[in-house]
Amino acid sequence: MSETPTFWKKSNIKHPGSIKRVNSNEPDTQHMLKKNTRKTKPSGDDDEDKFVEFNNKTDDAWLDDSNTDLEFSINPTETVGTGLSKLNIHPSLPRDLKVSKHHQGSRPHLLPRQLSPPSYPTSDLYSPPRPTASSAGISSPPASTNEGTAESRHSAVRSNSDISVMNKEDKHIAKFQEILQSDCPDLESLRKRTWFGCPSHHRPIVWQMLSGYLPPNVSRRSETLDRKRGEYWRFVAQYFKTRHDANFSSLYHQIHIDIPRTNPAIALFQHQKVQEAFERILYIWAYRNPGSGYVQGINDLVTPFYVVFLGQYVEGNVETADISQLTDETLANTEADTYWCLSKLLDNLHDNYTFAQPGIQMKVHDLRRLVNRMDGVLDAHLERNVVEYLQFSFRWMNNLLMREMPLRCTIRLWDTYMSEPNGFSHFHLYVCAKFLTKWAKVIKSLPDFQAIMLFLQSLPTSRWSDDDIAELVSEAFQLKCLFPKAVTAVAGTT
């Protein structure tokens, strides 16, 4: 049986002390050792074994080349097979983002396995970028001496760690500034950088460009914004007055009662002006898209755009901002920008909101198949307790996991979705699969239908941060590499 192909390079260089034949009459001991220790390929080539086999192969396979900067990418037009053969490596990432040679004992926090994209630090959602080490008054610790106490040595380690994190974040922000300062930013470079999280003060313009709403060419932006904002308000003047007509009163009534339920714990969304803006956005979209129409859950999709775009006019936490201090023009521009970006998003999720919602039905089916391949025991446990995937994952697909995690985490997740090809429609499936299997140990310990459903409807994510989302999307990326055809195409899906 042939030797199992491996992703890692093997060196043929002879080292001192290696076994060599003295003359032709003596047996080739080195060849015999290799032959005796050679691993045979497991029988069978089923897709169900690939995930486990991949884990076993790469548990301790970390990079330690100190002279090479690596970036991982997958050519989406090619069939990946096992997820290893089509892995491309490009020497383009900053030197400080390499994986260091200290994998023994524990894995890096944001890189659980080799195939994970390298992780960049991201700034806090609503806070300005962190200061550099010099501006923060942090100096490098002095060299340790034999007389130094354990406490001083630990303090020195912490200071070095803080400086390292700040330097990485500063470089991440500087890269965004370098891209955005161009007269016509390269969208591909912007996507690659945004995949790892976008700094909060750059996020409005980045989202608008990646959504296809704002042109990258600087000379066209002002004219485009004026035209599109004016067009939205003409729609409002023309269509919003029909909300009380007999043919549209039920549509408006559904939107009107859903708005107060939209993230009720966040003070911003309880403000009257914000709720009126959401009513106009959703009604105009539903009026202009009769083939889909308004579906409960679309109201949640408005909130990330509105918070991000409003953030460029507000200091501090947007969720608790007093918008009464903002001008009518600022609120009007935020509303119009939110409408157009929401429309761009929903154009890619059209099948999720047509009659019978076939897009969601198909994604739930794909999720079941994917989880079965990843963790058959978990899938069998759910089936044994009569837990249907549709019962808990329907809203994962309908609301893009927005009700399963804090809004700050949704915004970070959307950075990656906007950077992925078909991020909201296809990559979201892999994220949901990893999100479910993340709780596999707990779910398997629950004894019955009621306990499982109660847990799945109130998952412990309230304290999640950007780091948790970075780990989730990195693992989802690995899964996409292993099962590139897990998403079933629906007729008309883009």
Side-chain angles (χ1 to χ4, degrees):
M1 186 173 291
S2 60
E3 184 176 355
T4 304
T6 178
F7 172 75
W8 314 108
K9 293 182 178 179
K10 293 184 177 179
S11 174
N12 294 321
I13 300 174
K14 302 294 184 182
H15 299 285
S18 60
I19 302 173
K20 292 185 280 188
R21 288 186 294 175
V22 177
N23 55 61
S24 58
N25 296 325
E26 294 182 6
D28 188 347
T29 313
Q30 185 175 0
H31 176 73
M32 292 173 62
L33 288 174
K34 289 184 179 179
K35 183 176 181 180
N36 292 336
T37 57
R38 180 178 301 168
K39 296 181 179 179
T40 58
K41 184 174 181 180
S43 60
D45 193 26
D46 296 333
D47 287 339
E48 291 78 356
D49 297 330
K50 290 179 181 177
F51 192 77
V52 175
E53 180 183 351
F54 170 71
N55 279 334
N56 294 335
K57 286 184 179 181
T58 61
D59 268 347
D60 195 39
W62 297 98
L63 299 170
D64 80 52
D65 186 352
S66 60
N67 298 319
T68 306
D69 300 327
L70 301 179
E71 177 182 353
F72 299 91
S73 64
I74 294 296
N75 187 343
T77 62
E78 298 181 351
T79 301
V80 180
T82 63
L84 299 177
S85 59
K86 298 297 181 180
L87 187 65
N88 301 320
I89 302 180
H90 306 295
S92 60
L93 290 185
R95 187 174 301 277
D96 62 333
L97 295 175
K98 300 184 296 295
V99 180
S100 61
K101 186 169 55 178
H102 62 274
H103 59 278
Q104 297 179 358
S106 63
R107 296 180 177 179
H109 179 57
L110 298 183
L111 278 171
R113 296 183 182 91
Q114 156 68 6
L115 272 177
S116 303
S119 298
Y120 292 85
T122 56
S123 58
D124 184 69
L125 176 59
Y126 302 123
S127 302
R130 296 171 64 179
T132 60
S134 57
S135 65
I138 300 176
S139 58
S140 300
S144 60
T145 62
N146 293 333
E147 293 78 13
T149 64
E151 182 178 354
S152 64
R153 289 196 297 272
H154 292 165
S155 176
V157 172
R158 286 195 299 271
S159 297
N160 275 333
S161 177
D162 290 342
I163 293 173
S164 177
V165 170
M166 287 184 178
N167 288 339
K168 288 180 180 180
E169 184 170 342
D170 289 340
K171 290 180 180 180
H172 186 51
I173 294 172
K175 273 293 186 181
F176 272 97
Q177 292 172 341
E178 179 183 343
I179 294 172
L180 294 174
Q181 283 173 357
S182 170
D183 290 338
C184 188
D186 179 57
L187 292 183
E188 187 59 31
S189 298
L190 190 60
R191 286 189 184 95
K192 289 180 179 179
R193 184 61 50 174
T194 305
W195 202 102
F196 304 98
C198 183
S200 57
H201 58 288
H202 289 313
R203 192 173 273 126
I205 188 172
V206 169
W207 277 25
Q208 289 174 6
M209 283 196 288
L210 295 185
S211 295
Y213 168 54
L214 189 68
N217 194 315
V218 173
S219 61
R220 295 177 51 207
R221 291 179 192 171
S222 179
E223 181 272 333
T224 299
L225 286 176
D226 290 342
R227 176 171 53 83
K228 298 300 284 184
R229 288 167 177 172
E231 187 176 354
Y232 168 72
W233 285 105
R234 286 192 292 274
F235 289 157
V236 172
Q238 182 177 358
Y239 303 133
F240 195 61
K241 60 186 178 183
T242 65
R243 64 190 183 280
H244 298 303
D245 293 354
N247 292 334
F248 302 103
S249 59
S250 60
L251 167 63
Y252 175 73
H253 174 72
Q254 185 62 59
I255 294 173
H256 182 73
I257 63 177
D258 281 350
I259 295 301
R261 305 169 184 167
T262 305
N263 272 319
I266 297 179
L268 174 68
F269 302 139
Q270 303 310 306
H271 198 287
Q272 182 179 354
K273 287 186 177 180
V274 174
Q275 292 189 354
E276 291 173 352
F278 284 10
E279 284 186 2
R280 287 189 292 267
I281 290 170
L282 293 171
Y283 183 83
I284 298 303
W285 181 84
Y287 187 96
R288 298 187 67 241
N289 293 270
S292 300
Y294 174 76
V295 174
Q296 284 180 305
I298 296 181
N299 55 306
D300 289 326
L301 306 183
V302 179
T303 58
F305 290 117
Y306 195 85
V307 166
V308 167
F309 298 154
L310 190 65
Q312 59 192 319
Y313 308 110
V314 172
E315 294 291 337
N317 191 338
V318 182
E319 295 181 4
T320 57
D322 181 10
I323 66 170
S324 62
Q325 305 300 319
L326 300 177
T327 66
D328 290 341
E329 181 182 6
T330 294
L331 295 176
N333 290 342
T334 301
E335 180 179 337
D337 294 344
T338 299
Y339 168 80
W340 286 113
C341 288
L342 175 70
S343 298
K344 294 287 187 180
L345 168 62
L346 294 177
D347 285 347
N348 294 323
L349 299 174
H350 177 76
D351 290 301
N352 285 11
Y353 306 111
T354 54
F355 177 73
Q357 299 180 272
I360 292 180
Q361 301 273 358
M362 190 61 70
K363 288 182 177 68
V364 171
H365 173 70
D366 291 341
L367 178 64
R368 167 75 184 271
R369 292 193 308 155
L370 190 53
V371 171
N372 177 264
R373 293 181 177 187
M374 295 168 61
D375 191 338
V377 176
L378 173 62
D379 180 58
H381 182 71
L382 293 174
E383 183 177 4
R384 187 165 53 253
N385 288 280
V386 201
V387 177
E388 297 290 340
Y389 281 72
L390 194 65
Q391 294 169 326
F392 64 87
S393 65
F394 179 87
R395 78 177 187 182
W396 294 10
M397 306 301 177
N398 191 54
N399 302 83
L400 298 177
L401 288 175
M402 287 195 60
R403 296 187 182 179
E404 320 310 319
M405 60 183 65
L407 179 59
R408 64 181 180 274
C409 294
T410 296
I411 291 175
R412 167 60 188 91
L413 181 62
W414 283 24
D415 286 342
T416 299
Y417 281 0
M418 290 192 178
S419 308
E420 274 283 329
N422 300 311
F424 290 95
S425 57
H426 290 182
F427 189 67
H428 179 66
L429 171 68
Y430 299 102
V431 171
C432 287
K434 290 304 301 185
F435 188 68
L436 176 59
T437 56
K438 187 179 186 69
W439 317 104
K441 185 176 180 180
V442 178
I443 295 172
K444 292 172 187 176
S445 69
L446 298 176
D448 53 32
F449 173 87
Q450 183 177 3
I452 294 173
M453 288 303 299
L454 287 175
F455 177 75
L456 289 173
Q457 290 174 357
S458 56
L459 293 166
T461 60
S462 60
R463 294 194 165 192
W464 271 28
S465 66
D466 284 3
D467 287 349
D468 295 289
I469 299 301
E471 182 177 0
L472 179 66
V473 297
S474 294
E475 293 175 349
F477 179 83
Q478 297 174 33
L479 198 59
K480 177 186 173 184
C481 294
L482 287 170
F483 302 105
K485 296 185 178 181
V487 181
T488 303
V490 180
T493 302
T494 56

